[in-house]
Amino acid sequence: DQLEAAKWLLKNKYIGMPWKDLTEKERDDFGKILELVCADQPFNTQLHELHAEHLIVTDQRRRAAKVLEDVSYVRPFRGLQAVALLRQLGEDKAAKQLAKRVLPLVKVQFEKDPDPRLGLTIARNQCFLKQFEEADVTLRATLRLTDSKTERSQLAGAISDLHVLWEAHLRDGQGPSYEARLRRIRLIQTATQWAVNNSRAASSLLYLVDESTPSTAPSVEGTGSFGERTTEPLHHLIRGMRLLIDGDNEQARKQIDIAQDEMKQVPALLNNVAIALAKSDEPRMGKALVLCEEAFRRSSAPTLRFYETRATILFQTDRYADAIPDLKRALKDSSSQIKVHQMLAECYNQTGDEQLHQFHLKKLRELASGGPEASASESN
C-alpha cells in the first residue's frame, strides 16, 4: 500500500542521498514521504528530526519549530533549535516560553556531558531570557573546558557580547544615578577586556562618552568633578574622551593618563571609539580624528588598524592626499585589501595620478577574480 511504499522509498532511496543530488520533484516527494511515515511512527525521534531538517531546508520554519518542540520532550536540545527558529520568525513570546521549559533540561545534559558548543548555545539562550549573570557563569565554565584557540576566541567574544547586552539592558531599565552608571561602566570595561576590538562594545562606550558631563562623572564618594579619581580606569578614559571631544586637551590627558596606568588597551579603545564616531548615524569626523590622533600619540607601536582608521577618516573628509600614506601602510593587512585599494584608487583619481589610479583598479580586479594579490610590501 501507499505507506509501505513510502517506507521503502525512504529507506532505499532518500535516506543518505545528498540534498544537492535530488531534483526539485524528488525534494518535494521526500517531504511528503516524511510526513506520511512520521504520522505512522510518532515516537521515532530520528525520523522526526530528519523531517524537521527537511522543513528547515525548504524554508518551512514555523512547521519545523513545531516538530522540534515536540521532539524536545525526548531531546531537550532540539527545543533550543526551535527557539532559534521562533526568534527568526519574530515570535519572541513563544520562544521565551519554550526556552524557559527546555533550558533547565539542557543544562542537566551539559553537566553530564560538557561540550563547548552546547555551553555557548545555553548561554545565548540565557541572554535571550535576560539571565545575564547565569550566562556569564555558563560561558566562563565553558571556557575552562577547551584548549582550542578557535573555541576560546569564540567564547571570549561571546563573554564580551554578553556584557554589552547586559549594559544595554541596564541602560534601558535603570535611572541616571551614579551607582547605576558605574555598574554600566564596569560591564563595558569587562567587555573590552575580553575582546578589545568588539565594535558593539565601542558603540556602547561612545554612548557613555556622549552622555558624560561633569555631573555624571563624580568621584568614588559620589560627588565631585572631572578632575577627581574613581576606582574604575574606564571611567577616567570616558571622562578623558569627552574632554578631548570638547577641546579641553590638558584635562583630558590627565584623565587618560590615569586610565592608561591600569589599562594597556587605552590606545586601542581610543581608536575603536573613533571608528564608532565615524560610523554613527550622525558622523563626527573631526572629533573622530581627534580621538584617533590621541590613540597614535599613546601607542608605541600603532597597529595597521590605527592607520586604516585614520586613513578612512581623512578619506571621508576629502583629504585624499593626506590619506594616501596611511592607506599604503594599511595595505599590509590582507583582510582589508579590497577596501584599501578602493580608497587608494579614488585618492589617486582625486589627486590626478591616473597611472596609480589605474594600478589600484587593476589590483581590485585581480582580488575580485582571485588572481595575484597586492604584495604586503606594496609601495604604490
Side-chain angles (χ1 to χ4, degrees):
D1 65 0
Q2 187 179 22
L3 177 61
E4 291 305 314
K7 289 179 181 179
W8 188 91
L9 284 169
L10 191 63
K11 178 181 179 181
N12 294 285
K13 177 177 180 178
Y14 286 107
I15 291 181
M17 173 75 76
W19 183 257
K20 62 181 178 62
D21 293 342
L22 296 175
T23 66
E24 287 297 323
K25 184 179 184 308
E26 286 174 328
R27 291 174 182 181
D28 186 56
D29 289 344
F30 187 16
K32 292 175 181 177
I33 288 170
L34 281 169
E35 283 194 49
L36 185 62
V37 179
C38 282
D40 180 65
Q41 300 181 21
F43 303 111
N44 187 332
T45 302
Q46 286 185 319
L47 192 60
H48 284 267
E49 288 174 325
L50 182 60
H51 186 204
E53 289 176 15
H54 182 276
L55 291 170
I56 292 170
V57 171
T58 54
D59 200 26
Q60 300 178 69
R61 289 175 292 173
R62 185 169 278 102
R63 292 183 62 201
K66 180 64 175 70
V67 172
L68 289 170
E69 183 178 354
D70 291 341
V71 170
S72 72
Y73 287 96
V74 179
R75 296 188 179 173
F77 175 74
R78 295 299 187 183
L80 296 185
Q81 288 183 286
V83 169
L85 291 172
L86 289 169
R87 291 180 66 186
Q88 290 172 17
L89 294 165
E91 298 183 12
D92 280 7
K93 183 177 179 180
K96 287 177 181 177
Q97 290 175 342
L98 181 56
K100 287 176 182 177
R101 177 175 70 79
V102 299
L103 257 182
L105 302 173
V106 179
K107 286 167 68 178
V108 170
Q109 178 184 339
F110 178 66
E111 290 166 4
K112 290 180 179 178
D113 185 18
D115 176 83
R117 290 171 297 178
L118 183 57
L120 184 59
T121 301
I122 291 171
R124 285 172 174 163
N125 281 273
Q126 288 170 324
C127 282
F128 172 55
L129 295 176
K130 305 293 190 290
Q131 298 173 359
F132 298 111
E133 291 186 22
E134 294 90 335
D136 194 27
V137 170
T138 299
L139 286 171
R140 291 171 191 262
T142 303
L143 192 65
R144 293 192 289 271
L145 296 175
T146 179
D147 293 323
S148 163
K149 186 176 179 181
T150 299
E151 287 181 342
R152 291 184 69 83
S153 176
Q154 184 181 23
L155 287 163
I159 294 173
S160 181
D161 283 340
L162 158 68
H163 285 79
V164 172
L165 290 170
W166 199 346
E167 186 276 331
H169 176 68
L170 293 183
R171 184 196 312 162
D172 292 338
Q174 292 191 355
S177 70
Y178 169 66
E179 291 75 14
R181 178 176 165 78
L182 188 58
R183 189 179 181 199
R184 289 168 51 209
I185 288 171
R186 286 172 176 156
L187 288 170
I188 296 304
Q189 185 166 292
T190 301
T192 60
Q193 288 167 345
W194 282 98
V196 67
N197 289 328
N198 185 339
S199 61
R200 299 181 187 88
S203 295
S204 296
L205 188 49
L206 175 57
Y207 193 97
L208 287 163
V209 171
D210 278 342
E211 71 178 17
S212 180
T213 65
S215 63
T216 61
S219 67
V220 70
E221 290 80 15
T223 61
S225 65
F226 274 120
E228 295 178 289
R229 182 179 291 269
T230 74
T231 57
E232 304 301 331
L234 189 64
H235 205 167
H236 290 282
L237 180 59
I238 289 168
R239 296 180 185 184
M241 286 193 280
R242 181 56 193 245
L243 287 163
L244 270 181
I245 288 171
D246 290 343
D248 190 346
N249 292 357
E250 182 180 352
Q251 289 300 318
R253 285 171 179 156
K254 288 180 181 179
Q255 292 295 318
I256 299 174
D257 285 344
I258 295 171
Q260 197 163 7
D261 284 344
E262 298 185 48
M263 292 176 66
K264 64 180 181 180
Q265 66 265 47
V266 160
L269 293 177
L270 284 163
N271 183 71
N272 293 344
V273 175
I275 295 171
L277 266 171
K279 290 184 175 180
S280 60
D281 292 339
E282 296 181 1
R284 289 165 277 172
M285 294 301 181
K287 306 301 184 184
L289 187 58
V290 167
L291 294 185
C292 184
E293 294 289 9
E294 187 67 20
F296 271 97
R297 199 180 77 82
R298 291 179 173 274
S299 178
S300 58
T303 67
L304 296 177
R305 182 181 175 89
F306 286 26
Y307 288 102
E308 183 181 339
T309 300
R310 186 167 64 184
T312 301
I313 295 168
L314 293 170
F315 179 86
Q316 291 180 352
T317 51
D318 300 335
R319 293 173 59 180
Y320 302 108
D322 293 334
I324 288 172
D326 284 347
L327 287 170
K328 288 164 69 174
R329 283 179 176 267
L331 267 181
K332 295 177 183 178
D333 182 359
S334 59
S335 66
S336 60
Q337 281 197 349
I338 290 177
K339 175 186 174 183
V340 173
H341 277 298
Q342 287 173 334
M343 287 193 286
L344 276 169
E346 182 59 18
C347 283
Y348 286 120
N349 181 47
Q350 291 292 336
T351 55
D353 193 326
E354 184 59 22
Q355 182 178 355
L356 288 177
H357 170 58
Q358 292 299 327
F359 172 83
H360 289 284
L361 289 179
K362 178 184 176 184
K363 290 296 181 183
L364 277 172
R365 289 192 294 270
E366 289 177 354
L367 286 168
S369 64
E373 295 191 6
S375 166
S377 61
E378 181 62 68
S379 60
N380 291 292

mmCIF file of all heavy atoms in Angstrom, residues 290-327:
data_model
loop_
_atom_site.group_PDB
_atom_site.id
_atom_site.type_symbol
_atom_site.label_atom_id
_atom_site.label_comp_id
_atom_site.label_asym_id
_atom_site.label_seq_id
_atom_site.Cartn_x
_atom_site.Cartn_y
_atom_site.Cartn_z
ATOM 1 N N VAL A 290 40.312 63.487 16.223
ATOM 2 C CA VAL A 290 40.963 63.878 17.478
ATOM 3 C C VAL A 290 41.269 62.634 18.317
ATOM 4 O O VAL A 290 42.379 62.475 18.840
ATOM 5 C CB VAL A 290 40.064 64.860 18.270
ATOM 6 C CG1 VAL A 290 40.577 65.026 19.701
ATOM 7 C CG2 VAL A 290 40.017 66.210 17.572
ATOM 8 N N LEU A 291 40.288 61.742 18.454
ATOM 9 C CA LEU A 291 40.498 60.525 19.239
ATOM 10 C C LEU A 291 41.525 59.608 18.573
ATOM 11 O O LEU A 291 42.357 58.988 19.244
ATOM 12 C CB LEU A 291 39.176 59.778 19.422
ATOM 13 C CG LEU A 291 38.100 60.472 20.262
ATOM 14 C CD1 LEU A 291 36.904 59.543 20.437
ATOM 15 C CD2 LEU A 291 38.624 60.891 21.622
ATOM 16 N N CYS A 292 41.451 59.528 17.256
ATOM 17 C CA CYS A 292 42.395 58.686 16.524
ATOM 18 C C CYS A 292 43.831 59.178 16.709
ATOM 19 O O CYS A 292 44.748 58.390 16.956
ATOM 20 C CB CYS A 292 42.012 58.665 15.047
ATOM 21 S SG CYS A 292 43.018 57.570 14.044
ATOM 22 N N GLU A 293 44.030 60.472 16.616
ATOM 23 C CA GLU A 293 45.377 61.035 16.800
ATOM 24 C C GLU A 293 45.877 60.807 18.222
ATOM 25 O O GLU A 293 47.068 60.555 18.447
ATOM 26 C CB GLU A 293 45.372 62.532 16.485
ATOM 27 C CG GLU A 293 45.081 62.880 15.027
ATOM 28 C CD GLU A 293 46.217 62.517 14.081
ATOM 29 O OE1 GLU A 293 47.174 61.849 14.494
ATOM 30 O OE2 GLU A 293 46.130 62.906 12.901
ATOM 31 N N GLU A 294 44.974 60.853 19.191
ATOM 32 C CA GLU A 294 45.368 60.579 20.582
ATOM 33 C C GLU A 294 45.778 59.115 20.736
ATOM 34 O O GLU A 294 46.700 58.791 21.496
ATOM 35 C CB GLU A 294 44.236 60.918 21.536
ATOM 36 C CG GLU A 294 44.589 60.832 23.014
ATOM 37 C CD GLU A 294 45.599 61.895 23.451
ATOM 38 O OE1 GLU A 294 45.747 62.916 22.748
ATOM 39 O OE2 GLU A 294 46.231 61.694 24.518
ATOM 40 N N ALA A 295 45.094 58.221 20.006
ATOM 41 C CA ALA A 295 45.475 56.809 20.030
ATOM 42 C C ALA A 295 46.891 56.627 19.504
ATOM 43 O O ALA A 295 47.693 55.885 20.081
ATOM 44 C CB ALA A 295 44.482 55.995 19.198
ATOM 45 N N PHE A 296 47.223 57.303 18.410
ATOM 46 C CA PHE A 296 48.591 57.252 17.880
ATOM 47 C C PHE A 296 49.586 57.812 18.893
ATOM 48 O O PHE A 296 50.666 57.248 19.104
ATOM 49 C CB PHE A 296 48.678 58.066 16.582
ATOM 50 C CG PHE A 296 48.358 57.283 15.343
ATOM 51 C CD1 PHE A 296 47.092 57.315 14.786
ATOM 52 C CD2 PHE A 296 49.323 56.502 14.728
ATOM 53 C CE1 PHE A 296 46.794 56.597 13.640
ATOM 54 C CE2 PHE A 296 49.050 55.772 13.582
ATOM 55 C CZ PHE A 296 47.767 55.818 13.029
ATOM 56 N N ARG A 297 49.238 58.910 19.525
ATOM 57 C CA ARG A 297 50.148 59.573 20.459
ATOM 58 C C ARG A 297 50.493 58.671 21.636
ATOM 59 O O ARG A 297 51.602 58.738 22.183
ATOM 60 C CB ARG A 297 49.491 60.861 20.985
ATOM 61 C CG ARG A 297 50.455 61.877 21.583
ATOM 62 C CD ARG A 297 49.710 63.109 22.072
ATOM 63 N NE ARG A 297 49.045 62.868 23.327
ATOM 64 C CZ ARG A 297 49.641 62.932 24.514
ATOM 65 N NH1 ARG A 297 50.918 63.211 24.610
ATOM 66 N NH2 ARG A 297 48.955 62.700 25.618
ATOM 67 N N ARG A 298 49.562 57.790 21.999
ATOM 68 C CA ARG A 298 49.741 56.954 23.187
ATOM 69 C C ARG A 298 50.221 55.538 22.858
ATOM 70 O O ARG A 298 50.403 54.734 23.772
ATOM 71 C CB ARG A 298 48.424 56.874 23.961
ATOM 72 C CG ARG A 298 48.065 58.193 24.606
ATOM 73 C CD ARG A 298 46.762 58.162 25.351
ATOM 74 N NE ARG A 298 46.598 59.433 26.060
ATOM 75 C CZ ARG A 298 47.084 59.701 27.257
ATOM 76 N NH1 ARG A 298 47.768 58.769 27.902
ATOM 77 N NH2 ARG A 298 46.896 60.886 27.809
ATOM 78 N N SER A 299 50.415 55.249 21.607
ATOM 79 C CA SER A 299 50.823 53.896 21.220
ATOM 80 C C SER A 299 52.284 53.886 20.780
ATOM 81 O O SER A 299 52.680 54.648 19.895
ATOM 82 C CB SER A 299 49.932 53.381 20.088
ATOM 83 O OG SER A 299 50.358 52.103 19.679
ATOM 84 N N SER A 300 53.060 53.010 21.378
ATOM 85 C CA SER A 300 54.466 52.883 20.981
ATOM 86 C C SER A 300 54.601 52.137 19.663
ATOM 87 O O SER A 300 55.607 52.283 18.954
ATOM 88 C CB SER A 300 55.257 52.149 22.069
ATOM 89 O OG SER A 300 54.699 50.867 22.306
ATOM 90 N N ALA A 301 53.594 51.333 19.325
ATOM 91 C CA ALA A 301 53.618 50.567 18.068
ATOM 92 C C ALA A 301 52.202 50.499 17.507
ATOM 93 O O ALA A 301 51.496 49.502 17.701
ATOM 94 C CB ALA A 301 54.171 49.160 18.303
ATOM 95 N N PRO A 302 51.761 51.563 16.829
ATOM 96 C CA PRO A 302 50.391 51.575 16.286
ATOM 97 C C PRO A 302 50.144 50.386 15.360
ATOM 98 O O PRO A 302 51.006 50.020 14.553
ATOM 99 C CB PRO A 302 50.332 52.899 15.509
ATOM 100 C CG PRO A 302 51.419 53.741 16.090
ATOM 101 C CD PRO A 302 52.492 52.790 16.498
ATOM 102 N N THR A 303 48.998 49.783 15.489
ATOM 103 C CA THR A 303 48.656 48.643 14.637
ATOM 104 C C THR A 303 48.157 49.138 13.273
ATOM 105 O O THR A 303 47.843 50.316 13.094
ATOM 106 C CB THR A 303 47.555 47.785 15.283
ATOM 107 O OG1 THR A 303 46.338 48.549 15.319
ATOM 108 C CG2 THR A 303 47.926 47.378 16.699
ATOM 109 N N LEU A 304 48.088 48.219 12.320
ATOM 110 C CA LEU A 304 47.569 48.562 10.994
ATOM 111 C C LEU A 304 46.136 49.066 11.078
ATOM 112 O O LEU A 304 45.706 49.886 10.261
ATOM 113 C CB LEU A 304 47.642 47.334 10.076
ATOM 114 C CG LEU A 304 49.055 46.820 9.766
ATOM 115 C CD1 LEU A 304 48.976 45.564 8.903
ATOM 116 C CD2 LEU A 304 49.887 47.887 9.086
ATOM 117 N N ARG A 305 45.405 48.600 12.078
ATOM 118 C CA ARG A 305 44.023 49.058 12.285
ATOM 119 C C ARG A 305 43.988 50.559 12.544
ATOM 120 O O ARG A 305 43.095 51.257 12.075
ATOM 121 C CB ARG A 305 43.426 48.283 13.461
ATOM 122 C CG ARG A 305 41.973 48.607 13.775
ATOM 123 C CD ARG A 305 41.532 47.779 14.981
ATOM 124 N NE ARG A 305 40.191 48.096 15.434
ATOM 125 C CZ ARG A 305 39.087 47.513 14.996
ATOM 126 N NH1 ARG A 305 39.176 46.574 14.071
ATOM 127 N NH2 ARG A 305 37.900 47.842 15.465
ATOM 128 N N PHE A 306 44.983 51.070 13.281
ATOM 129 C CA PHE A 306 45.052 52.510 13.552
ATOM 130 C C PHE A 306 45.218 53.286 12.246
ATOM 131 O O PHE A 306 44.553 54.303 12.025
ATOM 132 C CB PHE A 306 46.232 52.829 14.474
ATOM 133 C CG PHE A 306 46.050 52.435 15.918
ATOM 134 C CD1 PHE A 306 45.203 51.414 16.289
ATOM 135 C CD2 PHE A 306 46.751 53.090 16.914
ATOM 136 C CE1 PHE A 306 45.048 51.054 17.622
ATOM 137 C CE2 PHE A 306 46.606 52.752 18.243
ATOM 138 C CZ PHE A 306 45.754 51.720 18.594
ATOM 139 N N TYR A 307 46.112 52.809 11.395
ATOM 140 C CA TYR A 307 46.365 53.512 10.134
ATOM 141 C C TYR A 307 45.133 53.478 9.234
ATOM 142 O O TYR A 307 44.810 54.476 8.572
ATOM 143 C CB TYR A 307 47.566 52.890 9.417
ATOM 144 C CG TYR A 307 48.881 53.212 10.089
ATOM 145 C CD1 TYR A 307 49.521 52.277 10.894
ATOM 146 C CD2 TYR A 307 49.470 54.471 9.929
ATOM 147 C CE1 TYR A 307 50.724 52.580 11.527
ATOM 148 C CE2 TYR A 307 50.681 54.780 10.557
ATOM 149 C CZ TYR A 307 51.289 53.828 11.358
ATOM 150 O OH TYR A 307 52.465 54.143 11.989
ATOM 151 N N GLU A 308 44.446 52.346 9.229
ATOM 152 C CA GLU A 308 43.240 52.256 8.411
ATOM 153 C C GLU A 308 42.162 53.212 8.930
ATOM 154 O O GLU A 308 41.450 53.855 8.146
ATOM 155 C CB GLU A 308 42.703 50.828 8.398
ATOM 156 C CG GLU A 308 41.488 50.658 7.489
ATOM 157 C CD GLU A 308 40.935 49.256 7.490
ATOM 158 O OE1 GLU A 308 41.661 48.311 7.856
ATOM 159 O OE2 GLU A 308 39.745 49.094 7.131
ATOM 160 N N THR A 309 42.039 53.302 10.261
ATOM 161 C CA THR A 309 41.046 54.216 10.848
ATOM 162 C C THR A 309 41.321 55.653 10.436
ATOM 163 O O THR A 309 40.431 56.375 9.955
ATOM 164 C CB THR A 309 41.060 54.111 12.380
ATOM 165 O OG1 THR A 309 40.741 52.774 12.767
ATOM 166 C CG2 THR A 309 40.047 55.074 13.000
ATOM 167 N N ARG A 310 42.564 56.086 10.632
ATOM 168 C CA ARG A 310 42.885 57.482 10.318
ATOM 169 C C ARG A 310 42.731 57.745 8.821
ATOM 170 O O ARG A 310 42.195 58.788 8.415
ATOM 171 C CB ARG A 310 44.304 57.823 10.774
ATOM 172 C CG ARG A 310 44.641 59.307 10.604
ATOM 173 C CD ARG A 310 45.907 59.688 11.345
ATOM 174 N NE ARG A 310 47.082 59.017 10.813
ATOM 175 C CZ ARG A 310 48.310 59.127 11.333
ATOM 176 N NH1 ARG A 310 48.508 59.880 12.413
ATOM 177 N NH2 ARG A 310 49.336 58.487 10.809
ATOM 178 N N ALA A 311 43.159 56.791 8.001
ATOM 179 C CA ALA A 311 43.031 56.958 6.554
ATOM 180 C C ALA A 311 41.571 57.084 6.140
ATOM 181 O O ALA A 311 41.217 57.901 5.287
ATOM 182 C CB ALA A 311 43.684 55.783 5.833
ATOM 183 N N THR A 312 40.715 56.262 6.753
ATOM 184 C CA THR A 312 39.290 56.291 6.410
ATOM 185 C C THR A 312 38.675 57.639 6.769
ATOM 186 O O THR A 312 37.881 58.205 5.991
ATOM 187 C CB THR A 312 38.553 55.153 7.135
ATOM 188 O OG1 THR A 312 39.125 53.899 6.747
ATOM 189 C CG2 THR A 312 37.068 55.158 6.787
ATOM 190 N N ILE A 313 39.034 58.156 7.937
ATOM 191 C CA ILE A 313 38.505 59.458 8.355
ATOM 192 C C ILE A 313 38.978 60.555 7.399
ATOM 193 O O ILE A 313 38.187 61.400 6.949
ATOM 194 C CB ILE A 313 38.938 59.776 9.799
ATOM 195 C CG1 ILE A 313 38.303 58.780 10.776
ATOM 196 C CG2 ILE A 313 38.545 61.211 10.175
ATOM 197 C CD1 ILE A 313 38.888 58.840 12.175
ATOM 198 N N LEU A 314 40.252 60.524 7.062
ATOM 199 C CA LEU A 314 40.791 61.526 6.132
ATOM 200 C C LEU A 314 40.136 61.394 4.762
ATOM 201 O O LEU A 314 39.787 62.399 4.120
ATOM 202 C CB LEU A 314 42.307 61.360 6.013
ATOM 203 C CG LEU A 314 43.118 61.692 7.280
ATOM 204 C CD1 LEU A 314 44.567 61.245 7.115
ATOM 205 C CD2 LEU A 314 43.049 63.182 7.600
ATOM 206 N N PHE A 315 39.956 60.173 4.312
ATOM 207 C CA PHE A 315 39.317 59.931 3.009
ATOM 208 C C PHE A 315 37.892 60.474 3.005
ATOM 209 O O PHE A 315 37.470 61.139 2.050
ATOM 210 C CB PHE A 315 39.327 58.425 2.722
ATOM 211 C CG PHE A 315 38.679 58.039 1.430
ATOM 212 C CD1 PHE A 315 39.394 58.050 0.241
ATOM 213 C CD2 PHE A 315 37.340 57.646 1.398
ATOM 214 C CE1 PHE A 315 38.795 57.684 -0.961
ATOM 215 C CE2 PHE A 315 36.734 57.276 0.212
ATOM 216 C CZ PHE A 315 37.463 57.300 -0.972
ATOM 217 N N GLN A 316 37.158 60.191 4.058
ATOM 218 C CA GLN A 316 35.748 60.596 4.100
ATOM 219 C C GLN A 316 35.575 62.100 4.300
ATOM 220 O O GLN A 316 34.476 62.620 4.112
ATOM 221 C CB GLN A 316 35.018 59.818 5.195
ATOM 222 C CG GLN A 316 34.882 58.338 4.852
ATOM 223 C CD GLN A 316 34.161 57.535 5.915
ATOM 224 O OE1 GLN A 316 33.865 58.032 7.001
ATOM 225 N NE2 GLN A 316 33.883 56.273 5.622
ATOM 226 N N THR A 317 36.656 62.782 4.660
ATOM 227 C CA THR A 317 36.593 64.253 4.757
ATOM 228 C C THR A 317 37.314 64.904 3.566
ATOM 229 O O THR A 317 37.720 66.067 3.632
ATOM 230 C CB THR A 317 37.211 64.729 6.085
ATOM 231 O OG1 THR A 317 38.512 64.149 6.260
ATOM 232 C CG2 THR A 317 36.339 64.333 7.266
ATOM 233 N N ASP A 318 37.483 64.106 2.490
ATOM 234 C CA ASP A 318 38.042 64.599 1.224
ATOM 235 C C ASP A 318 39.498 65.030 1.318
ATOM 236 O O ASP A 318 39.976 65.782 0.467
ATOM 237 C CB ASP A 318 37.202 65.761 0.664
ATOM 238 C CG ASP A 318 35.762 65.343 0.400
ATOM 239 O OD1 ASP A 318 35.526 64.135 0.186
ATOM 240 O OD2 ASP A 318 34.867 66.212 0.419
ATOM 241 N N ARG A 319 40.221 64.530 2.308
ATOM 242 C CA ARG A 319 41.662 64.840 2.427
ATOM 243 C C ARG A 319 42.437 63.689 1.791
ATOM 244 O O ARG A 319 43.127 62.918 2.450
ATOM 245 C CB ARG A 319 42.028 65.054 3.891
ATOM 246 C CG ARG A 319 41.379 66.302 4.495
ATOM 247 C CD ARG A 319 41.608 66.404 5.996
ATOM 248 N NE ARG A 319 43.028 66.453 6.349
ATOM 249 C CZ ARG A 319 43.481 66.534 7.604
ATOM 250 N NH1 ARG A 319 42.619 66.597 8.614
ATOM 251 N NH2 ARG A 319 44.772 66.563 7.850
ATOM 252 N N TYR A 320 42.300 63.592 0.481
ATOM 253 C CA TYR A 320 42.803 62.427 -0.249
ATOM 254 C C TYR A 320 44.317 62.295 -0.197
ATOM 255 O O TYR A 320 44.841 61.201 0.039
ATOM 256 C CB TYR A 320 42.310 62.473 -1.695
ATOM 257 C CG TYR A 320 40.808 62.514 -1.807
ATOM 258 C CD1 TYR A 320 40.140 63.675 -2.204
ATOM 259 C CD2 TYR A 320 40.048 61.395 -1.495
ATOM 260 C CE1 TYR A 320 38.754 63.713 -2.298
ATOM 261 C CE2 TYR A 320 38.658 61.424 -1.587
ATOM 262 C CZ TYR A 320 38.021 62.588 -1.976
ATOM 263 O OH TYR A 320 36.649 62.633 -2.049
ATOM 264 N N ALA A 321 45.020 63.373 -0.381
ATOM 265 C CA ALA A 321 46.486 63.310 -0.360
ATOM 266 C C ALA A 321 46.995 62.915 1.016
ATOM 267 O O ALA A 321 47.957 62.148 1.147
ATOM 268 C CB ALA A 321 47.068 64.669 -0.778
ATOM 269 N N ASP A 322 46.338 63.421 2.064
ATOM 270 C CA ASP A 322 46.753 63.083 3.428
ATOM 271 C C ASP A 322 46.471 61.618 3.760
ATOM 272 O O ASP A 322 47.176 61.012 4.580
ATOM 273 C CB ASP A 322 46.017 63.966 4.438
ATOM 274 C CG ASP A 322 46.432 65.424 4.344
ATOM 275 O OD1 ASP A 322 47.565 65.689 3.900
ATOM 276 O OD2 ASP A 322 45.621 66.296 4.709
ATOM 277 N N ALA A 323 45.447 61.050 3.141
ATOM 278 C CA ALA A 323 45.070 59.666 3.439
ATOM 279 C C ALA A 323 46.024 58.656 2.818
ATOM 280 O O ALA A 323 46.167 57.539 3.330
ATOM 281 C CB ALA A 323 43.654 59.399 2.942
ATOM 282 N N ILE A 324 46.693 59.019 1.736
ATOM 283 C CA ILE A 324 47.488 58.051 0.965
ATOM 284 C C ILE A 324 48.580 57.363 1.794
ATOM 285 O O ILE A 324 48.697 56.120 1.758
ATOM 286 C CB ILE A 324 48.073 58.713 -0.303
ATOM 287 C CG1 ILE A 324 46.935 58.957 -1.310
ATOM 288 C CG2 ILE A 324 49.162 57.835 -0.933
ATOM 289 C CD1 ILE A 324 47.343 59.791 -2.521
ATOM 290 N N PRO A 325 49.408 58.072 2.565
ATOM 291 C CA PRO A 325 50.462 57.372 3.325
ATOM 292 C C PRO A 325 49.908 56.318 4.285
ATOM 293 O O PRO A 325 50.475 55.220 4.396
ATOM 294 C CB PRO A 325 51.150 58.518 4.091
ATOM 295 C CG PRO A 325 50.891 59.732 3.273
ATOM 296 C CD PRO A 325 49.517 59.543 2.722
ATOM 297 N N ASP A 326 48.816 56.645 4.975
ATOM 298 C CA ASP A 326 48.233 55.667 5.898
ATOM 299 C C ASP A 326 47.617 54.490 5.152
ATOM 300 O O ASP A 326 47.697 53.343 5.606
ATOM 301 C CB ASP A 326 47.156 56.331 6.762
ATOM 302 C CG ASP A 326 47.751 57.189 7.873
ATOM 303 O OD1 ASP A 326 48.964 57.080 8.124
ATOM 304 O OD2 ASP A 326 47.002 57.969 8.486
ATOM 305 N N LEU A 327 47.016 54.745 4.006
ATOM 306 C CA LEU A 327 46.435 53.658 3.219
ATOM 307 C C LEU A 327 47.513 52.705 2.723
ATOM 308 O O LEU A 327 47.309 51.476 2.701
ATOM 309 C CB LEU A 327 45.642 54.228 2.038
ATOM 310 C CG LEU A 327 44.310 54.889 2.391
ATOM 311 C CD1 LEU A 327 43.744 55.625 1.174
ATOM 312 C CD2 LEU A 327 43.300 53.845 2.891
#
